[in-house]
Amino acid sequence: MAVLDIRALNRATLARQLLLERADLPVPDAIAHLGGLQAQEPQEPFPGLWSRLRAFDPDRLSDLLTGRRVVRTHLMRRTVHLVTADDAVAWRARHDGMLRQRVVGVYRRELDGVDHGELAEAGRTVMADGEPRSMPELARAVADRWPSAGPRSLGELLVAALLPTVQLPPRGVWRTKAGVRYALMSSWLGREIDPLSPDGSDPVGQALVRRYLAAFGPAASADLRAWCGLAGLPAAVSAVREELVAFRDERGRELLDLPGAPRPDPGTPAPVRFLPAFDNAVLGYHDRSRIIDDAHRPLSVAGARVVLADGRVAATWTVEADTVHVTPLRPFSRADRTAVADEGRAMARFLSGEESDRVRVAASPA
């Protein structure tokens, strides 16, 4: 079994994540290929797609949201993701058990004694009029029946788990700040979510395996689980295993992959890329060493925006007064600083609507 070193895995990840070379894909196709984008911070998908697509028009993504072709919903890992409407409908039921478990894990004491079926029915009754509601509004409408639970726990369980919901625009629209309002996914999209397969064959789980490997492979089963949050995919992996090829990493872990997926030469040059907060190129693995040093791993869960140089996390970045500020995490060569500054200026122009190209790269650490 061939062994893939860290650099080989890094270049494969960059290629699958559209970070080795910007792609000419339509926006919905890119979102589908990536298996959705982490979107708990509502503006972050915009720089995420700008770093991946040529001539990305942010208004196009806004139009897809308002046109109901992409949605913001709780899905992988119980975090808000931006996914295509087709994927939301196809994947939601397969994530149902995980979503419930994760909410209950946070509010176990508050939700003790709450019948999930009764709560779900009460929530559906409230939402049946088709009016969008905030989570507190929905929780207050049902709280009288479960006064000891508290509105926060009831609201979280309803909007993130029991009821398939979407967060409505204008939240998530380009350069727009808006509170979170929810609608039932079926009401917003005009179709019910797909039910689980009655014969237990789990075609959705098998599709998730293939889609994950297309966007993140080669990868181990633990990496797949870290991306989607689903523990019950071993059977799906076994069902598609004959379609896949296998490698090992330098630690001896088995890595699975699609046979025709890109695995570039490890020596392929990698351009500087600016990633948004919570980008799945980093979070989509249990073993993130292919893209971020273990010493910097906490940045990936703290919401830091990161800069890739030579394919690896090498700096963080923020924006203040239309100026992109870059803070290196390792010494930069003169070439590194030039490349980072050039990409930072381009990011500043994108975020400011061409009104600023200011970038400040701080001194490298000793």
Side-chain angles (χ1 to χ4, degrees):
M1 192 178 295
V3 175
L4 300 177
D5 64 18
I6 288 291
R7 193 172 175 89
L9 293 175
N10 174 268
R11 293 313 193 251
T13 291
L14 297 180
R16 314 292 174 89
Q17 286 289 306
L18 314 181
L19 295 168
L20 199 58
E21 183 177 358
R22 282 184 167 93
D24 288 318
L25 289 174
V27 174
D29 292 356
I31 294 171
H33 167 75
L34 295 167
L37 291 94
Q38 175 88 290
Q40 63 197 65
E41 297 293 337
Q43 292 295 301
E44 296 304 286
F46 292 94
L49 288 170
W50 177 85
S51 288
R52 290 171 162 95
L53 300 178
R54 290 192 183 95
F56 169 63
D57 180 359
D59 290 329
R60 175 60 177 148
L61 178 54
S62 296
D63 290 344
L64 291 169
L65 270 167
T66 57
R68 311 187 189 199
R69 292 187 58 193
V70 301
V71 296
R72 296 170 44 81
T73 186
H74 290 89
L75 207 59
M76 285 76 77
R77 308 185 299 276
R78 195 176 73 88
T79 55
V80 177
H81 271 69
L82 180 76
V83 296
T84 67
D86 288 343
D87 282 345
V89 167
W91 293 356
R92 180 52 174 78
R94 187 62 180 82
H95 287 74
D96 183 70
M98 176 272 293
L99 294 171
R100 294 188 188 209
Q101 290 172 6
R102 294 205 172 195
V103 176
V104 171
V106 175
Y107 299 105
R108 189 173 305 280
R109 182 167 54 185
E110 295 92 331
L111 294 170
D112 184 42
V114 175
D115 184 282
H116 292 183
E118 292 180 6
L119 177 59
E121 184 58 33
R124 279 193 292 268
T125 299
V126 173
M127 300 295 288
D129 60 7
E131 290 297 317
R133 287 175 173 83
S134 68
M135 186 180 76
E137 289 171 341
L138 176 57
R140 286 194 297 269
V142 302
D144 288 349
R145 293 180 58 179
W146 296 277
S148 63
R152 177 73 185 188
S153 61
L154 294 174
E156 286 272 2
L157 187 56
L158 282 169
V159 302
L162 297 183
L163 303 180
T165 61
V166 296
Q167 295 185 355
L168 300 188
R171 188 159 179 89
V173 170
W174 178 234
R175 291 183 177 174
T176 300
K177 292 184 178 181
V180 183
R181 299 179 309 141
Y182 291 92
L184 294 177
M185 189 178 293
S186 57
S187 173
W188 181 248
L189 297 180
R191 48 180 165 153
E192 298 293 333
I193 66 170
D194 295 345
L196 295 176
S197 176
D199 62 5
S201 60
D202 197 14
V204 177
Q206 294 171 31
L208 285 169
V209 173
R210 298 185 187 99
R211 294 279 295 276
Y212 175 75
L213 292 177
F216 295 88
S221 294
D223 297 319
L224 167 65
R225 185 166 59 250
W227 168 70
C228 64
L230 299 175
L233 287 178
V237 172
S238 296
V240 302
R241 180 176 283 272
E242 290 188 359
E243 305 173 16
L244 308 177
V245 292
F247 304 92
R248 291 204 182 276
D249 65 13
E250 293 175 302
R251 303 181 185 183
R253 298 190 314 158
E254 181 185 50
L255 307 176
L256 300 176
D257 203 6
L258 302 174
R263 289 180 288 275
D265 186 290
T268 303
V272 168
R273 291 288 185 258
F274 280 60
L275 297 186
F278 304 112
D279 195 284
N280 278 335
V282 181
L283 289 183
Y285 299 96
H286 173 69
D287 180 359
R288 299 171 188 165
S289 61
R290 68 177 66 193
I291 197 165
I292 188 170
D293 294 347
D294 287 342
H296 300 141
R297 183 183 172 108
L299 294 171
S300 64
V301 294
R305 292 166 162 176
V306 298
V307 180
L308 302 183
D310 193 27
R312 299 188 61 79
V313 172
T316 61
W317 66 283
T318 59
V319 179
E320 185 177 350
D322 288 337
T323 301
V324 170
H325 295 267
V326 178
T327 304
L329 297 170
R330 61 164 174 79
F332 276 1
S333 67
R334 181 176 297 179
D336 288 335
R337 293 183 71 84
T338 298
V340 168
D342 287 346
E343 188 73 358
R345 278 189 284 271
M347 176 64 82
R349 288 193 294 270
F350 168 70
L351 294 175
S352 68
E354 301 296 328
E355 293 183 2
S356 170
D357 65 352
R358 294 189 297 272
V359 61
R360 299 289 184 268
V361 182
S364 297

